[in-house]
């Protein structure tokens, strides 16, 4: 049996008992440590601050170009084929220039990723963000906005000019209204940039105080970070509540 096969068999043996008590998570929390150490060069973080540090290290590599492309080989694919336990959940924009797995230099099975225009949320998206923290011990949620966001810019113009966007695009505009209002109150020379940052902070605050996520945040099992990505430099900047 090759290495991947051994890992898979061990994962099944390890998971068999715990699976019975992990119905909600689909057994996704059962394979964490015993086999992770020899399947991955980078063991899964065990605290929100370690999870955040992992992401920031990856972003440093993205900025410098010294990429590791960790855990993207057939062994890793085999290792996570039956179960997953991502350490982070990223809510980011659909923008093609902001792919979380690349800009944090993460591997297969490391992240849940939700992407919507202007990282807007509604019940379905919020449920998807909640899934990891509520079922499999995901340690970190990152709300990631970005420079020159087209969705925010379009929503800003639509609201300012009182001209709704066609079809379902208007749903994105509506979801961005609170960020527009906050930016209008703040003022400044670049209202679209202010609105994009406000959207991150409002969304992170909303998730952090959410009925189901707040208790996890309260006991230190989860952190919800607001962050902002520069298209120019590739760097992720903290806007709110990075765990230390
Ligand atoms: Zn965007």
């Amino acid at each position: 049996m090759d290495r991947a096969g051994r890992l898979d068999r061990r994962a099944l043996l390890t998971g068999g008992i715990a699976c019975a008590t992990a119905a909600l998570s689909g057994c996704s929390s059962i394979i964490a440590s015993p086999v992770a150490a020899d399947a991955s060069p980078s063991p899964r973080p065990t605290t929100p601050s370690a999870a955040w540090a992992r992401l920031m290290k990856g972003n440093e590599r993205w900025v410098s170009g010294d990429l590791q492309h960790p855990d993207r080989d057939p062994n890793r694919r085999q290792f996570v084929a039956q179960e997953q336990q991502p350490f982070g959940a990223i809510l980011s924009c659909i923008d093609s220039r902001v792919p979380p797995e690349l800009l944090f230099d993460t591997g297969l099975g490391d992240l849940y990723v939700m992407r919507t225009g202007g990282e807007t949320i509604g019940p379905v998206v919020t449920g998807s963000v909640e899934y990891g923290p509520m079922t499999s011990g995901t340690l970190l949620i990152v709300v990631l906005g970005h420079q020159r966001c087209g969705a925010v810019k379009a929503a800003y113009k639509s609201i300012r000019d009182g001209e709704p966007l066609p079809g379902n695009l208007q749903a994105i505009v509506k979801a961005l209204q609170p960020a527009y209002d906050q930016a209008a109150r703040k003022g400044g020379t670049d209202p679209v940039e202010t609105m994009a940052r406000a959207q991150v902070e409002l969304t992170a605050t909303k998730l952090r105080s959410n009925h189901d996520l707040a208790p996890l945040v309260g006991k230190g099992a989860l952190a919800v970070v607001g962050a902002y990505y520069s298209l120019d430099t590739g760097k992720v900047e903290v806007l709110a509540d990075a765990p230390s």
Side-chain angles (χ1 to χ4, degrees), residues 1 7 24 74 77 86-87 93 133 135-136 142 149 188 191 194 198-199 237:
M1 186 181 291
L7 291 172
L24 182 61
R77 186 185 68 233
F87 64 80
C93 184
T135 67
S136 56
V142 180
C149 179
T194 305
Q199 168 61 6
E237 166 195 353

Side-chain angles (χ1 to χ4, degrees), residues 93-95 98 116-119 146 148-152:
C93 184
I94 58 170
D95 194 296
V98 191
T116 63
E119 62 279 354
H146 69 97
R148 292 192 283 274
C149 179
V152 171

Side-chain angles (χ1 to χ4, degrees), residues 3 6-8 10-12 14 28-46 54 71 73 75-76 79-80 83-87 108-110:
R3 182 166 178 268
R6 288 199 307 276
L7 291 172
D8 194 41
R10 288 178 60 191
L12 286 170
T14 310
S28 54
S29 65
I30 56 178
I31 60 166
S33 3
V35 287
D38 58 0
S40 165
S42 23
R44 184 183 188 276
T46 55
R54 169 79 72 85
D71 298 330
D73 57 19
N75 277 350
R76 179 66 171 182
F79 180 66
V80 298
E83 310 294 344
Q84 61 173 332
Q85 194 183 26
F87 64 80
L108 192 68
D110 282 343

Side-chain angles (χ1 to χ4, degrees), residues 17-238:
I17 299 168
C19 188
T21 59
L24 182 61
S25 69
C27 305
S28 54
S29 65
I30 56 178
I31 60 166
S33 3
V35 287
D38 58 0
S40 165
S42 23
R44 184 183 188 276
T46 55
T47 64
S49 58
W52 176 245
R54 169 79 72 85
L55 293 184
M56 291 310 280
K57 279 281 176 200
N59 182 244
E60 284 174 18
R61 297 194 298 274
W62 172 253
V63 171
S64 69
D66 184 25
L67 295 164
Q68 288 180 356
H69 307 296
D71 298 330
R72 297 185 192 177
D73 57 19
N75 277 350
R76 179 66 171 182
R77 186 185 68 233
Q78 185 80 9
F79 180 66
V80 298
Q82 298 297 326
E83 310 294 344
Q84 61 173 332
Q85 194 183 26
F87 64 80
I90 315 292
L91 171 62
S92 70
C93 184
I94 58 170
D95 194 296
S96 64
R97 302 162 294 179
V98 191
E101 295 93 336
L102 297 186
L103 64 91
F104 288 120
D105 195 24
T106 53
L108 192 68
D110 282 343
L111 300 176
Y112 290 110
V113 175
M114 282 62 57
R115 300 182 68 174
T116 63
E119 62 279 354
T120 45
I121 56 175
V124 172
V125 176
T126 301
S128 300
V129 173
E130 290 170 347
Y131 179 78
M134 289 181 65
T135 67
S136 56
T138 299
L139 300 158
L140 186 70
I141 294 170
V142 180
V143 179
L144 184 65
H146 69 97
Q147 188 182 28
R148 292 192 283 274
C149 179
V152 171
K153 186 176 180 181
Y156 173 82
K157 286 183 175 173
S158 167
I159 297 169
R160 181 195 63 188
D161 301 340
E163 294 177 359
L165 295 186
N168 291 307
L169 293 179
Q170 184 58 19
I172 297 175
V173 175
K174 273 191 173 179
L176 285 165
Q177 179 77 51
Y180 177 92
D181 295 341
Q182 179 158 308
R185 283 193 298 273
K186 277 189 174 175
T189 55
D190 190 342
V192 174
E193 174 80 1
T194 305
M195 181 174 162
R197 289 170 181 263
Q199 168 61 6
V200 170
E201 294 184 13
L202 289 169
T203 304
T205 299
K206 200 166 184 179
L207 291 170
R208 200 177 298 116
S209 55
N210 163 315
H211 174 269
D212 292 301
L213 297 177
L216 296 173
V217 173
K219 65 181 184 184
L222 172 71
V224 182
V225 179
Y228 201 73
Y229 177 73
S230 166
L231 294 179
D232 292 336
T233 67
K235 191 167 171 50
V236 171
E237 166 195 353
V238 176

